[in-house]
Amino acid sequence: MARRETWAAYGFLSPWIIGFAVFMAGPMVASLVLSFTDYDVLTDTRFVGADNYRAMLADSRVRTSLANTLIYTALHVPLTMVVSLALAMLLIRAGRRSAGFYRTVFYLPTVTPKVAVGVLFLLLFNGQDGLINRVLALAGVDGPDWTVDPAWIKPGLVLIGAWSLGSTVIIYLAALQNVPRDLHEAAAMDGASAWARFRAVTVPSISGALFFTLIINTIGGLQTFDEVYTAFYGSANQQTYGSDAALFYVVYLFQQAFRFLHVGYASALAWLLFLIIVAITLVQVRLSRRFVYYESE
Amino acid sequence: MVSRIVRPMIAAGLVGVLAVGCGGVGGGGGGDAVTLSMMGFGTGDEIAKTRFDEANRSIAPSAAAAGEGSFDAQQFLAAVASGAPPDLVYMERRLLGTYAAKKALVPLGDCVAREGIDLGQFRPAAIAEATLNGELYGLPEFYNNRMLLINDAVLREAGLDPAAFATTDWDALAEAAERLSVTDAGALRRIGFDPKIPEFLPMWARANGAELVSVDGRTARLDDPKVAEALEFTVRLIRAQGGWAAFKSFRDTFDFFGARNQFAQGQLGAFVMEDFYLNVLAEHSPQATVTVAPFRGRDGAPVDWITGNAWAIPAGSPHAEQACRWIKTMTDSPTWIAAARERARVRAEAGKPYAGTFTGNVRADEVIFRDVVQPSPAVRTVLETQPSGFALPAMAAGEEFKAAWQEAVNRVLDGRQSPAEALAEAQRQAQAALDEANRGS
């Protein structure tokens, strides 16, 4: 009986297992092998040992793209988490009917295709005529050339990245709804201020959700591609004017693979990013032991 | 992360296989009717549709199935890698060298001999752009010229004569650009003259007596001091008109393809541009008066950088013989003329102007601009300039070469490097890419 149940379980799991093997594990192994080759899809594959990895060390554009991506992620993740938490805190105070409306409003941008977000960035953040600078002008601020000035391209992309924080808001909202009300009441009776209750009750109670979104948003930030590619490299014209400030790691990887046909080198780039993501995630997991509170513990 | 690379490859592979499958590669050789598959071409307008139908008639009972959209490297690579290349591929001529060097395209020598294709009907610059190491890899289609477009109203308002505006004297050009440029409360309101860099650097280099690459496409010459001088001058033009960030931001606000375009709105004095833009202006702002003049070098000679697309046959094309006849017909002069007549008819019915179509086929152009359309003065200027057209040679690492010099220009525009530093770095990158791509050939 147990044996039959085990096979039945495997049967139910098989679509995922097959999908994982064919579309994830298989290509990952293939790309690992390709990363040690000179492979351009069209001509014979040539084993080159660690040459691709050595070339990465000497490639200034790897450093540029990696620095851009890390800076973007370091700005994007905290901003997304703080704004999302603030919005979720506001939502939880809203009435039941209006909460549904606002939840939808906050989540809508998340379903906007990233390609559209890239185009939107160019329109909203144009230094001469964009809505952002027009609003800033109302406050007497002379806005920068967000889409051209290398110093402002990444901050602009971080701001447009906050456009799609709906998923994080929803996760925080669910977590906030599970914060024990009696703890807040007890703290309030003891004279704790709103800030003290937020710091000592709310944050520890939702630390699991905070940790989860930290990891997910960090990985997402490091893999940023669609909106940046659309805005700065999507067409021949944009490619011509592509600023180094917008050269993100996955954009560079894509260029190497499909513009310059260096698929072996691009595979090595992919593995470097994979290792960076694993390392950052391990650090985050290690740190989480000190900051994340699980009710079962 | 790895999945971001491999998954698109697999997906593209599937798409490619499906595309080829849907193309209905059946029948086999001999006299059987087959359906040719293609990539990179769609029958979007009557110029494309008329020629497509003519080409299909030439291989009846076989036929080609039109694709959609433009050439997609991922799709093409996946199809070739999966052993199911399309019968035909339509791509920019500048890309041919890269794929030809990797033997993904077949040389057309046999095709030309078998079908008796008269290469003399094509413009030499277009043929040169499709030729790598002495072998022709594509039959040329359009012939995109780059001319000087001058906004008469803006120049007259500034007290300048549009007919006298020229790029020969760089000091005078810089002075005119500043005079035409308008800034209001710190914001740029009009660009006096747009040199269109990075993309038109090859023209500016040639105007200064330099070439970016050797004639055989193997030796980069980006570090030629004359290239740096040309770049320095064009960057100086932009800095004198508000600086790169303001200049580009303002230019991005143009309604480039609409009725409120920069000519109609008086937002631009003059710029260098492809000839197709004459049709845009004729269609959307016929009231705007535009003078068209050749872009001239400092020696006064016209400098007309031309580009365009070409038809090629991928290695492993299942129906290479029919494909050869099909591309012969597609680029032949009678086919172009038939297409131009159809375009003229459709435009006349719609009450819209038709300025003509500039093809890579000299004989077609002769008839089109004699019998089908009456050339305007602007079109006549383009026709007179065309014989001096030049193309960058086909290169085994064309995309990397292009990226190297364009990124160099962007670094200078961003203020991070001097022209000489940026071009020296680009020279190293470009030559390394060319050497690697030409290894063994």
Side-chain angles (χ1 to χ4, degrees), chain A residues 61 64 68 145 147-153 232-233 240-247, chain B residues 197-198 231 235 238-239 243-246 248 406-419 422:
Chain A
R61 293 180 73 73
T64 302
N68 285 339
D145 288 297
T147 58
V148 186
D149 188 339
W152 288 98
I153 284 177
F232 292 96
Y233 298 93
T240 300
Y241 294 100
S243 169
D244 273 6
L247 184 71
Chain B
I197 54 164
L231 177 54
V235 171
I238 289 170
R239 289 194 179 139
W244 177 236
K248 173 84 167 37
Q406 290 195 338
E407 284 160 8
V409 176
N410 284 321
R411 290 195 293 275
V412 178
L413 288 168
D414 283 348
R416 286 181 295 132
Q417 281 182 324
S418 71

Side-chain angles (χ1 to χ4, degrees), chain A residues 106-131:
Chain A
F106 291 147
Y107 196 76
L108 265 180
T110 305
V111 297
T112 307
K114 291 282 180 70
V115 170
V117 174
V119 175
L120 205 61
F121 170 72
L122 295 178
L123 294 174
L124 291 177
F125 284 79
N126 180 281
Q128 289 270 326
D129 204 27
L131 184 65

Side-chain angles (χ1 to χ4, degrees), chain B residues 289-360:
Chain B
T289 49
V290 179
T291 295
V292 178
F295 176 88
R296 292 186 187 278
R298 300 177 87 175
D299 60 0
V303 176
D304 177 16
W305 179 27
I306 64 96
T307 53
N309 280 25
W311 283 99
I313 302 176
S317 163
H319 310 102
E321 288 188 14
Q322 289 101 325
C324 174
R325 181 165 299 169
W326 198 90
I327 64 174
K328 175 201 174 186
T329 311
M330 197 70 179
T331 55
D332 213 3
S333 50
T335 317
W336 277 115
I337 294 162
R341 287 191 199 285
E342 179 62 8
R343 163 65 66 89
R345 187 190 67 76
V346 170
R347 299 290 287 178
E349 272 183 14
K352 290 181 175 175
Y354 172 46
T357 301
F358 299 102
T359 79

Side-chain angles (χ1 to χ4, degrees), chain B residues 60-417:
Chain B
S62 296
E68 276 184 17
S70 54
F71 175 74
D72 181 336
Q74 278 176 272
Q75 189 187 21
F76 181 63
L77 290 175
V80 172
S82 65
D87 292 296
L88 297 155
V89 64
Y90 181 69
M91 63 172 78
E92 288 180 69
R93 289 197 286 269
R94 66 180 178 83
L95 296 175
L96 289 173
T98 301
Y99 291 102
K102 295 183 184 302
K103 303 198 185 319
L105 304 175
V106 296
L108 296 181
D110 289 346
C111 165
V112 168
R114 191 171 57 247
E115 290 294 332
I117 298 172
D118 175 12
L119 295 182
Q121 67 186 314
F122 298 111
R123 293 186 184 278
I127 289 287
E129 200 179 13
T131 303
L132 182 74
N133 299 333
E135 297 264 25
L136 179 69
Y137 285 93
L139 291 187
E141 270 224 350
F142 292 98
Y143 198 77
N144 304 325
N145 305 273
R146 285 158 178 81
M147 309 294 292
L148 196 57
L149 270 59
I150 301 156
N151 192 338
D152 293 357
V154 166
L155 263 78
R156 291 204 181 98
E157 183 191 312
L160 296 172
D161 177 10
F165 190 87
T167 51
T168 312
D169 181 341
W170 285 6
D171 289 334
L173 179 60
E175 198 180 307
E178 273 196 72
R179 193 163 158 185
L180 291 166
S181 171
V182 174
T183 305
D184 177 24
L188 191 59
R189 293 290 172 233
R190 176 188 295 155
I191 290 173
F193 176 69
D194 183 356
K196 291 291 292 266
I197 54 164
E199 68 255 55
F200 291 173
L201 181 70
M203 295 181 78
W204 288 101
R206 197 176 176 97
N208 203 30
E211 303 289 346
L212 298 190
V213 64
S214 61
V215 178
D216 63 5
R218 286 170 172 259
T219 309
R221 292 186 175 151
L222 299 174
D223 56 354
D224 184 332
K226 286 183 177 174
V227 180
E229 187 185 15
L231 177 54
E232 198 160 325
F233 171 69
T234 48
V235 171
R236 184 156 59 87
L237 284 179
I238 289 170
R239 289 194 179 139
Q241 298 179 82
W244 177 236
F247 188 94
K248 173 84 167 37
S249 292
F250 178 59
R251 198 172 64 185
D252 286 346
T253 66
F254 290 173
D255 179 22
F256 204 79
F257 292 102
R260 295 171 62 80
N261 61 66
Q262 67 279 10
F263 274 75
Q265 297 296 104
Q267 295 170 312
L268 178 68
F271 74 157
V272 198
M273 189 58 199
E274 284 105 325
D275 55 49
F276 80 86
Y277 201 65
L278 291 173
N279 285 327
V280 174
L281 293 175
E283 168 108 20
H284 295 294
S285 52
Q287 77 288 355
T289 49
V290 179
T291 295
V292 178
F295 176 88
R296 292 186 187 278
R298 300 177 87 175
D299 60 0
V303 176
D304 177 16
W305 179 27
I306 64 96
T307 53
N309 280 25
W311 283 99
I313 302 176
S317 163
H319 310 102
E321 288 188 14
Q322 289 101 325
C324 174
R325 181 165 299 169
W326 198 90
I327 64 174
K328 175 201 174 186
T329 311
M330 197 70 179
T331 55
D332 213 3
S333 50
T335 317
W336 277 115
I337 294 162
R341 287 191 199 285
E342 179 62 8
R343 163 65 66 89
R345 187 190 67 76
V346 170
R347 299 290 287 178
E349 272 183 14
K352 290 181 175 175
Y354 172 46
T357 301
F358 299 102
T359 79
N361 190 309
V362 185
R363 289 186 202 135
D365 281 5
E366 281 169 5
V367 177
I368 291 170
F369 291 103
R370 186 187 64 218
D371 299 345
V372 184
V373 297
Q374 287 304 309
S376 65
V379 170
R380 204 172 290 286
T381 305
V382 178
L383 292 171
E384 287 165 3
T385 310
Q386 274 187 333
S388 62
F390 79 99
L392 292 181
M395 282 174 266
E399 277 297 272
E400 284 165 281
F401 180 80
K402 182 181 166 192
W405 62 259
Q406 290 195 338
E407 284 160 8
V409 176
N410 284 321
R411 290 195 293 275
V412 178
L413 288 168
D414 283 348
R416 286 181 295 132
Q417 281 182 324

